[in-house]
Amino acid sequence: MKTLTGKDLAAAIRAQTQAEAAAGAPPRLAVVVATADEASLWYVRSIAKAAAGVGIACDVVDLGPDAAPDQIAETLARLSAAPDVHGVMLQTPLPPGASAQQLAAAIDPRKDVDGANPLSLGRLAAGLPAFPPATAAAVMALLDHYEVPLEGRRAVVVGRSTVVGKPLAHLLLDRHATVTVAHSRTRDLASVTARAEVLVAAAGRAGLIGRDHVAPGAVVIDVGTNPTDDGGLTGDVDAAAVADVAAALTPVPGGVGPVTTALLLRHTARAANLP
Ligand code: NAP
């Protein structure tokens, strides 16, 4: 089984983004945070560090874990209206009672570099220009980087969230794959996923995809990032179990994750250069 790492691709995207960022006005990304969740704060710090590395300014606007939904929405609207801010992102999780989807509607779609505004998903579904969520875009970038054919292929996406599964299904459809979306109510998941030539696991359930879930020769992309007891991360795919049946698998960590961050920055550089 081939391991489809994301590190080289992420480095190539960052290099290209650095060149794009240097070509115009310096791009600026604003990340709105309203959580004390350590994993989430770590991710935001990693975005800020990666941004600095490619010449993109990154403002972390930390409203604290007790922020009211109105305050978050007002902040997103203010940043969307600021001429020197080109990308606006709302980090999750959010305080109880705050809905990411409702709040993300306050992000200007032209600055919605993580595809969180429902309008962005709608535009994506309609085949109109929009920034897809960086994770969904990262899956497509990995498939393209490793030259995985999609046209006419059976693709199965496990997960139907608005940040990963649904946008990804539209992106795969645009590339003429025959797409099936599975979720927690899908009966006999293995019988559905075992038909996939391209299988994307995005359920957030460690080890959900085992040997019986994978067709011989399938390309498997593991989006899942599940915390392990020792402080590490593991994917949704049982890598050891599928090793002698899948043709290829992305590792966790080191697969989709680094490409996601690189694409978030690329989207920001592109947002800064929109006419
Ligand atoms: P989410 O909002 O919790 O959605 C999970 C989806 O998986 C839901 O559609 C759910 O079905 C489905 N699901 C859950 N258990 C299932 C099961 N046993 N069988 C089949 N489907 C099942 O999660 P998310 O935000 O989409 O994230 C998914 C995973 O990707 C998480 O591990 C997350 O940490 C990871 N992630 C990684 C990156 C990255 O950059 N690498 C970025 C974002 C997310 P229902 O709709 O029926 O509930």
Side-chain angles (χ1 to χ4, degrees):
M1 182 181 71
K2 189 171 168 187
T3 300
L4 310 179
T5 65
K7 287 192 176 151
D8 291 350
L9 172 59
I13 294 168
R14 281 198 302 271
Q16 191 188 37
T17 301
Q18 186 163 19
E20 285 181 29
R28 180 175 292 275
L29 170 68
V31 183
V32 176
V33 179
T35 180
D37 178 78
E38 202 34 61
S40 177
L41 295 174
W42 180 90
Y43 178 58
V44 170
R45 283 194 295 273
S46 77
I47 292 172
K49 194 172 154 206
V54 298
I56 293 179
C58 180
D59 299 334
V60 177
V61 183
D62 192 346
L63 302 175
D66 299 323
D70 281 356
Q71 187 191 0
I72 300 171
E74 279 158 22
T75 304
L76 293 170
R78 175 176 59 76
L79 292 165
S80 287
D84 63 335
V85 173
H86 307 96
V88 179
M89 180 185 154
L90 175 60
Q91 180 62 15
T92 55
L94 292 169
S99 148
Q101 254 188 304
Q102 278 177 16
L103 291 173
I107 302 174
D108 180 340
R110 290 167 58 88
K111 301 187 179 186
D112 185 24
V113 289
D114 203 21
N117 187 325
L119 285 178
S120 298
L121 181 56
R123 290 182 65 87
L124 215 62
L128 295 170
F131 290 114
T135 308
V139 173
M140 300 306 291
L142 276 161
L143 291 169
D144 285 344
H145 178 68
Y146 287 104
E147 298 180 341
V148 178
L150 295 171
E151 187 169 335
R153 292 287 194 97
R154 287 188 302 274
V156 175
V157 179
V158 183
R160 58 175 166 179
S161 72
T162 49
V163 279
V164 192
K166 280 180 189 159
L168 186 55
H170 290 299
L171 293 171
L172 288 163
L173 262 181
D174 279 351
R175 299 289 298 280
H176 312 296
T178 302
V179 182
T180 303
V181 181
H183 46 79
S184 69
R185 316 277 174 97
T186 297
R187 272 182 286 130
D188 192 2
L189 181 67
S191 72
V192 176
T193 57
R195 285 179 45 75
E197 295 167 283
V198 175
L199 174 59
V200 183
R205 298 281 181 273
L208 176 69
I209 304 298
R211 196 183 192 293
D212 293 349
H213 294 78
V214 177
V219 173
V220 185
I221 307 290
D222 194 351
V223 181
T225 52
N226 308 293
T228 56
D229 292 342
D230 60 1
L233 281 183
T234 188
D236 287 357
V237 179
D238 182 341
V242 309
D244 62 350
V245 53
L249 171 66
T250 57
V252 178
V256 175
V259 182
T260 297
T261 308
L263 283 174
L264 180 72
L265 299 176
R266 179 200 263 176
H267 292 173
T268 304
R270 300 224 162 140
N273 287 325
L274 281 177

